[in-house]
Amino acid sequence: MQMDRNEIKAALEAVLFTTGKAESTADLAKALETDRDIIIEAIHELSDAYIRDGRGIRIIELEDAWQMCTNPDYYDVLIR
């Protein structure tokens, strides 16, 4: 069964949140059984939504991998 776009984004959130480390585009595509271009588009949509909504998390790109991290605007809260 092929996932729709919202299911792909939800699955990406789950994977990136749970692993806590950078995951390659290729590994994400394999895990979600979809094309790497779809992965990249979905991650960009998620990332844009986090920024637009002022969320406390971000998704960053590290070479050809993606990692969920804290929004730098909230680092001082973490330090306290």
Side-chain angles (χ1 to χ4, degrees):
M1 182 174 101
Q2 189 170 354
M3 290 189 272
D4 69 23
R5 179 70 108 205
N6 287 331
E7 290 171 317
I8 289 170
K9 290 191 290 189
L12 287 168
E13 281 181 313
V15 170
L16 294 175
F17 176 78
T18 302
T19 63
K21 64 182 182 74
E23 298 292 342
S24 73
T25 305
D27 286 347
L28 291 168
K30 183 178 178 182
L32 276 64
E33 298 178 332
T34 193
D35 186 72
R36 57 181 282 114
D37 290 337
I38 292 171
I39 295 296
I40 292 168
E41 290 171 8
I43 287 175
H44 282 283
E45 288 174 15
L46 278 173
S47 181
D48 292 346
Y50 294 159
I51 292 167
R52 182 182 60 247
D53 296 343
R55 303 284 302 273
I57 56 175
R58 294 283 188 265
I59 297 176
I60 58 170
E61 184 175 7
L62 305 165
E63 297 181 14
D64 191 31
W66 307 90
Q67 184 172 6
M68 189 173 281
C69 64
T70 301
N71 177 339
D73 293 343
Y74 299 102
Y75 285 164
D76 62 328
V77 174
L78 293 174
I79 293 169
R80 286 192 297 250

